[in-house]
Amino acid sequence: MNILVLEDDDEKFSLVSEYTIEIIPEADILRVKNWLDYSNIVASVKFDLILLDLLVPRSNRDSTIEDYSESLVETTRNYNSKSFKTPAIVLTQHSLDEGDFVHDLNLVDINVIAFNDHGKWREALKIKLMAAQPTKKFDVVILCALEKEALAFEGLTDYWGPVKTISGLVCREILIGEYKAVIVRTNRMGLVAAAVTASFALDRFEPRLICMGGICGGVAGESDIYDLLVTQSCHQHDAGKWSSTGFKSEHYDVQLEIDVHNKLFEIASSSDMKKIHLQLDPARSEVPNGKERISCKIVPDAITSSGSAVIAEEGKTSTLVVGQRKLAGFDMEIYSVYEAARHARNRTAFFAAKAVVDDGGVNKGDSFHRIGCLLSAKFIIAAIREGIADVWKQ
């Protein structure tokens, strides 16, 4: 939060700035001590809040104290000013009964607060500080449907923040190199929850990239346990019509942007990614039946499908393959995330990378979830560090 303070009195500035930091610890406060500096800076820089006094020196070279109440509106609400919409507060120690300037300032969102020893100004300032906080923006949004999927990113980031609610979403702020990112949890699994959460995150955080990680099911013969499916094209398998003759599906699909797909293909082909499964130290129960060790094949052009119901019965995945020549996996959210990103107000890169933990046969169950989540998280972090969020700038 960027705050401009016009105040020549050191003691008063100290009280105001200390209280401001107490309420908004991350506040960035810029102080000016005279009217000329204030006029210049308010015109050229956009601030989130302005705190000021009316009796201040003219300039650095002219220490004459003047009352600028009549000039305040013209200077602060000039349409050419970068901060002409910024809420402002006048903290003054002088009488508020002289003239009708208080009413005039309130009309243009410049509130006047009496600054005195009673400390009542603190509560009024707190309300304004809380209201003026800008909406948080992030370079990257990582969407997860399960807490275990979100926790897999811990230890892979440069900063790992606590869980908190931001703009109505359950979030965890993280840092990945130069990218300010946030992990957002959906309130439950499924297409509807994913669509709502993704749409809110895109609108409120305005990211350059939204992606989804975690675990998914695989299709027998097309994918094995721990294969990492980077979805190139996703369709919704439960959209259609039930009739007396059965279910007839409607085919809707969403594909990756070609630039994003090419970059993901490049990342998946790197030597580091070919060793992504090493050093995971699996327990015996985490090694699939019939294998001596775990392995991971990255599929950078996977075709997957999404639906609102979990497919838990062996053999049921065969019904999904009808009309889909190379369907590799299925989940409950990716289609909604892709569709939300495709319709976002701002052009946003998107992709999903999920690891198979159910191969449609004998290998299925919670014992594969830990490593599956880790494989997905490692690939997503690597892709972000490689600049997947900026492919459209290149």
Side-chain angles (χ1 to χ4, degrees):
M1 183 176 187
N2 296 320
I3 301 175
L4 175 62
V5 179
L6 168 60
E7 182 55 66
D8 62 316
D9 186 303
D10 291 341
E11 183 178 353
K12 181 181 173 185
F13 172 76
S14 179
L15 288 171
V16 172
S17 61
E18 287 176 6
Y19 184 70
T20 298
I21 293 298
E22 180 182 329
I23 302 301
I24 311 291
E26 67 273 19
D28 187 4
I29 299 174
L30 175 63
R31 180 191 184 187
V32 292
K33 296 184 178 182
N34 62 76
W35 187 254
L36 180 61
D37 286 347
Y38 171 76
S39 301
N40 291 333
I41 196 70
V42 80
S44 58
V45 179
K46 185 181 183 303
F47 293 93
D48 300 309
L49 183 64
I50 298 171
L51 308 177
L52 46 84
D53 195 3
L54 294 176
L55 297 176
V56 293
R58 292 177 179 174
S59 67
N60 282 330
R61 296 183 178 182
D62 187 347
S63 59
T64 303
I65 303 293
E66 291 190 358
D67 184 346
Y68 288 94
S69 56
E70 294 184 2
S71 305
L72 181 59
V73 174
E74 180 182 355
T75 301
T76 307
R77 293 298 179 244
N78 187 313
Y79 289 121
N80 294 321
S81 168
K82 292 286 184 67
S83 292
F84 85 95
K85 289 184 178 180
T86 300
I89 297 177
V90 174
L91 291 168
T92 180
Q93 294 173 308
H94 299 278
S95 172
L96 302 181
D97 299 328
E98 300 177 3
D100 57 357
F101 81 96
V102 173
H103 175 265
D104 294 340
L105 294 179
N106 282 332
L107 290 176
V108 290
D109 198 21
I110 300 177
N111 303 134
V112 181
I113 299 174
F115 186 87
N116 50 45
D117 295 334
H118 301 303
K120 291 184 178 179
W121 59 270
R122 287 183 171 84
E123 188 60 31
L125 177 57
K126 179 180 179 180
I127 293 172
K128 202 68 174 179
L129 284 168
M130 300 300 291
Q133 283 191 90
T135 303
K136 288 211 172 198
K137 307 298 181 187
F138 296 95
D139 301 314
V140 176
V141 169
I142 300 173
L143 210 63
C144 294
L146 301 171
E147 181 66 9
K148 67 179 75 174
E149 294 172 340
L151 290 175
F153 289 89
E154 186 174 9
L156 302 176
T157 65
D158 300 310
Y159 168 75
W160 182 258
V163 174
K164 59 183 178 181
T165 300
I166 305 175
S167 297
L169 298 172
V170 178
C171 302
R172 189 188 296 271
E173 293 184 63
I174 60 175
L175 191 65
I176 306 168
E178 64 185 63
Y179 298 100
K180 185 179 178 184
V182 62
I183 298 174
V184 180
R185 273 279 317 279
T186 63
N187 62 344
R188 58 175 61 91
M189 297 186 297
L191 289 171
V192 174
V196 171
T197 305
S199 296
F200 281 171
L202 286 162
D203 184 64
R204 296 170 185 180
F205 299 149
E206 298 181 8
R208 305 203 298 272
L209 167 71
I210 185 169
C211 55
M212 188 167 203
I215 52 180
C216 66
V219 175
E222 295 293 339
S223 56
D224 297 318
I225 294 294
Y226 298 140
D227 279 358
L228 189 61
L229 307 183
V230 183
T231 297
Q232 191 272 331
S233 177
C234 185
H235 78 276
Q236 183 182 352
H237 58 251
D238 58 2
K241 180 181 179 180
W242 283 100
S243 67
S244 58
T245 58
F247 180 73
K248 182 176 291 186
S249 66
E250 292 277 356
H251 187 81
Y252 303 107
D253 64 7
V254 189
Q255 296 186 3
L256 290 183
E257 293 280 354
I258 187 64
D259 292 339
V260 176
H261 175 250
N262 288 345
K263 183 66 175 179
L264 289 168
F265 199 95
E266 174 188 320
I267 294 167
S269 302
S270 70
S271 57
D272 288 340
M273 287 298 98
K274 291 178 180 178
K275 299 181 289 186
I276 193 174
H277 60 286
L278 301 180
Q279 300 178 338
L280 288 180
D281 192 23
R284 182 65 193 91
S285 61
E286 295 176 312
V287 178
N289 291 330
K291 294 190 176 183
E292 296 183 356
R293 60 183 66 87
I294 66 170
S295 61
C296 174
K297 178 179 67 177
I298 300 177
V299 185
D301 53 359
I303 297 174
T304 67
S305 70
S306 299
S308 292
V310 174
I311 300 175
E313 184 179 345
E314 185 173 345
K316 283 292 183 181
T317 56
S318 62
T319 62
L320 301 182
V321 183
V322 177
Q324 299 296 319
R325 180 169 170 266
K326 289 291 184 179
L327 186 68
F330 57 92
D331 84 319
M332 299 175 68
E333 295 90 18
I334 292 176
Y335 178 83
S336 288
V337 177
Y338 279 23
E339 190 72 347
R342 192 168 69 91
H343 289 281
R345 287 186 303 167
N346 301 317
R347 193 180 187 199
T348 307
F350 59 90
F351 78 93
K354 290 193 175 187
V356 174
V357 295
D358 177 349
D359 63 3
V362 295
N363 284 306
K364 63 175 64 182
D366 293 351
S367 59
F368 303 131
H369 287 193
R370 183 185 73 89
I371 287 181
C373 291
L374 283 172
L375 289 169
S376 170
K378 285 166 71 91
F379 180 85
I380 288 173
I381 293 294
I384 293 170
R385 292 191 187 278
E386 288 295 319
I388 190 67
D390 298 317
V391 291
W392 286 329
K393 292 182 179 181
Q394 298 171 3

